[in-house]
Amino acid sequence: MTKNQKVLTWLEEMKALVKPDNVVWITGDQAQLDELRKEATASGEIIELNKEKLPGCYYHRTAVNDVARVEDRTFICTPTKEEAGPINNWMDPKEAYSMLGKLYDGAMKGHTMYVIPYIMGVYGSPFAKVGIELTDSIYVVLNMDIMTRVGNKALEVIGDDGDFVKCLHAKKDINPDERYIVHFPQDNTIWSINSGYGGNVLLGKKCFALRIASAMARREGWMAEHMLILGVENPKGEVKYVCAAFPSACGKTNLAMLIPPEYLKQQGYKVWTVGDDIAWLRMGEDGRLWAMNPEAGFFGVAPGTSEKTNFNALESTKKNTIFTNVALNNDDMTVWWEGLDKNPPENATEWMGAKVNGKEYTASGNKLANPNSRFTAPASNCPCISKEFENPQGVPISAIIFGGRRAKCAPLVYQSRNWQHGTFVGATMASETTAAAAGAVGVVRRDPMAMKPFAGYNMADYWGHWLEMGKKLGDKAPKIFHVNWFRKDENDEFMWPGFGDNMRVLLWILNRCENKVEAEETAIGYVPYVDDINIEGLNIDKKTMKDLLAIDKKHWIEDIEDDSTGIKKYFAKFGDRLPKEMKEELSTLEKNLEK
Ligand code: GTP
Ligand code: SPV
Ligand code: MN
């Protein structure tokens, strides 16, 4: 398959460790993948769905204890603990290899090991990078085929001597007590064991394209970010691109594929999707910041996805898609999840595998689909995929948007004063936790740049790297904004309609980038004048808009001072490594709030 000695040597070592019965190289050939689909269907690992309604689609359930990323079992194994920083789990690399080596010993006995060479990024792009994942799971092979560019062309990219990211995954026995997702940034190596769920095992995604890549990016002077990339086309046909970093299950896929409200559609506005989860950013020859989506598919949250909320995502799942942990409609072999429509199937199988009457089951408050159930869909299925999706150079970025779930505090949108302040806005982001990671849901936690679970090195150094990038970009740097679609009123209801109507906020952002609209300078940055966010056709009054944009100094001071989640407590964790610019920005904010 390859003459690359680094690949062959590593493969021999790994074979000796996990001792598979045989080894199969994934070539990227469709006939081979078809055979694997047949094999996994025969064994029950996947179930083929309705050939007419969902051609090429399959259904899969993971173990009940294995339905989300496991952040407490995710490790960054840098030579010293300080390099991993205070908010990553750390193990000494030698100890980690030795401890895990024992778990992997013979883990693939009796099984086939699949060797998946894959490209993160556009084939032929100078910014693309290659990984090779070894796995004992056909489900992983089929998902990687959708999410990345797999097969011989990846081997071609690394050639006889090129480097690659070494990824080892074994399902073993899905024992949660021995589940580990471990990264060795110095060795470009990822070891994952005892899981079969998404972000824990599709090692090109969070493990490589964020944790390992963020460390590479710092060494090489670029950025790997948990960001969607979208293009807004105006009626003149000009397209401006923005990136947005929201924590897991906080609306990236939805924003990336949004359909503008009627009044804007009629004027000719359109949104094009370049990526929905990860962006690799670097300075282009023109001095601007350019973004490329390293992925080839969407691993999207199913619940809440409907024709109304995200038509384009739903359309993307109509063929060649894998559904994980949603509910099955046994009558016509289609899928269902909460929020798809109001008709749960009567003859259903819920996500844990029990046959239930879906109507009665949901009526008594049970969920048919796991809240973190997902679809794996090829990006090429997406009706609004950007024509720049395959552009090896990526797209130039006008604005970077941060955001999270904040019932209080953060207004609908505000703009930072400059890159340094914007870096502070990103660094102090907080959000209520979601089902995308194992653990409590709805708890406010700091999630800087939506990268808390994904930075492959010390977060303080990561902020330093952001500041460095800002210096390099100078006045060509994108403008930095913060949004909050999730502000709630006293009845605990979302105040902002969200979804397609977020376009109204995007337009304010782009107008700011082009100096087309004034804004009010406040303690936290620039906030829109109420009349500058168009509410035509919305069931929202001026008073609500005012509330959505209001800055309650009390909440902001609390956000800084809070004993458990406050910014001060948070920054203190990083000790001397905290960039001085972040301290400066904090004291500016405090002074502004006192006024
Ligand atoms: P990951 O794939 O985990 O990184 O998530 P994501 O950031 O892509 O989130 P996604 O777009 O899948 O949205 C997650 C959940 O938030 C879904 O249940 C959506 O229905 C909901 N959501 C998305 N956008 C909005 C919005 O503007 N308003 C409200 N209220 N909910 C939203
Ligand atoms: C996320 O949790 O941010 C995801 C899903 O995009 S996973 O691939 O599981 O990380
Ligand atoms: Mn994500």
Side-chain angles (χ1 to χ4, degrees), residues 246 250-252 255 258 401 403-406 411-413 483-487 494-499 501-503 505-506 509 548:
F246 308 156
C250 290
K252 288 183 300 300
L255 189 67
L258 80 71
I401 307 171
R405 290 179 185 259
R406 291 307 295 272
L412 181 61
V413 58
V483 298
N484 178 19
W485 314 142
F486 300 95
R487 200 144 161 171
F494 291 125
M495 295 163 72
W496 178 248
F499 301 100
D501 289 311
N502 294 333
M503 180 73 175
V505 174
L506 281 183
I509 287 174
L548 274 164

Side-chain angles (χ1 to χ4, degrees), residues 69 197 205-206 226 228 246-256 276-277 299-305 309-310 371-372 374-375 405 434 436 454 485-486 494 496-500 502:
R69 283 181 293 99
Y197 166 78
K205 197 173 177 59
K206 295 307 181 5
H226 192 198
L228 67 91
F246 308 156
S248 301
C250 290
K252 288 183 300 300
T253 302
N254 277 274
L255 189 67
D276 82 324
D277 198 51
F299 186 60
V301 178
T305 308
T309 57
N310 196 344
N372 192 39
R374 299 255 168 184
F375 53 80
R405 290 179 185 259
T434 65
F454 307 121
W485 314 142
F486 300 95
F494 291 125
W496 178 248
F499 301 100
N502 294 333

Side-chain angles (χ1 to χ4, degrees), residues 224-491:
E225 301 296 332
H226 192 198
M227 290 177 176
L228 67 91
I229 312 165
L230 67 79
V232 175
E233 181 176 331
N234 71 15
K236 283 186 256 169
E238 300 158 343
V239 187
K240 294 271 186 308
Y241 296 91
V242 307
C243 283
F246 308 156
S248 301
C250 290
K252 288 183 300 300
T253 302
N254 277 274
L255 189 67
M257 298 179 191
L258 80 71
I259 295 179
E262 203 48 47
Y263 85 101
L264 288 172
K265 252 200 297 200
Q266 276 173 13
Q267 290 173 35
Y269 280 97
K270 291 191 186 97
V271 166
W272 300 106
T273 309
V274 182
D276 82 324
D277 198 51
I278 298 177
W280 283 0
L281 302 139
R282 42 137 200 129
M283 195 171 100
E285 275 165 21
D286 61 357
R288 302 181 65 192
L289 190 65
W290 287 66
M292 175 180 77
N293 174 7
E295 302 192 280
F298 310 123
F299 186 60
V301 178
T305 308
S306 71
E307 221 162 279
K308 266 208 199 133
T309 57
N310 196 344
F311 173 84
N312 289 316
L314 198 61
E315 273 302 297
S316 308
T317 66
K318 294 283 166 72
K319 59 180 187 198
N320 304 328
T321 293
I322 301 171
F323 296 91
T324 303
N325 296 338
V326 301
L328 195 58
N329 179 343
N330 296 300
D331 284 334
D332 66 352
M333 295 308 280
T334 56
V335 285
W336 193 85
W337 50 77
E338 277 66 27
L340 174 67
D341 55 38
K342 297 207 162 80
N343 302 307
E346 265 172 44
N347 182 7
T349 303
E350 48 85 65
W351 69 270
M352 290 177 280
K355 292 220 160 143
V356 295
N357 178 321
K359 285 204 170 39
E360 290 168 8
Y361 193 73
T362 51
S364 47
N366 299 302
K367 299 237 186 295
L368 276 180
N370 183 281
N372 192 39
S373 53
R374 299 255 168 184
F375 53 80
T376 319
S380 57
N381 279 359
C382 182
C384 59
I385 195 74
S386 164
K387 65 179 194 314
E388 307 299 335
F389 176 68
E390 297 279 353
N391 186 333
Q393 298 299 324
V395 293
I397 298 303
S398 301
I400 289 175
I401 307 171
F402 294 122
R405 290 179 185 259
R406 291 307 295 272
K408 296 261 144 47
C409 217
L412 181 61
V413 58
Y414 68 101
Q415 181 185 3
S416 64
R417 287 181 296 271
N418 51 46
W419 182 277
Q420 175 175 310
H421 178 223
T423 303
F424 173 82
V425 169
T428 55
M429 254 168 78
S431 192
E432 290 140 23
T433 50
T434 65
V441 168
V443 187
V444 172
R445 73 165 185 186
R446 296 279 147 201
D447 191 347
M449 283 84 170
M451 283 289 278
K452 191 222 165 261
F454 307 121
Y457 60 100
N458 192 314
M459 186 59 77
D461 298 347
Y462 166 89
W463 296 330
H465 182 52
W466 264 77
L467 294 167
E468 279 306 307
M469 289 296 297
K471 280 182 202 141
K472 273 207 303 199
L473 292 160
D475 59 6
K476 290 193 174 145
K479 304 279 183 277
I480 301 180
F481 297 80
H482 187 284
V483 298
N484 178 19
W485 314 142
F486 300 95
R487 200 144 161 171
K488 288 185 170 171
D489 61 18
E490 44 302 334
N491 304 321

Side-chain angles (χ1 to χ4, degrees), residues 114 144 172 174 223 260 273 278-279 364 428 442 444 522 543:
Y114 300 95
M144 287 294 285
K172 207 169 178 189
I174 315 287
M223 306 161 93
T273 309
I278 298 177
S364 47
T428 55
V444 172
T522 72
K543 155 93 176 58

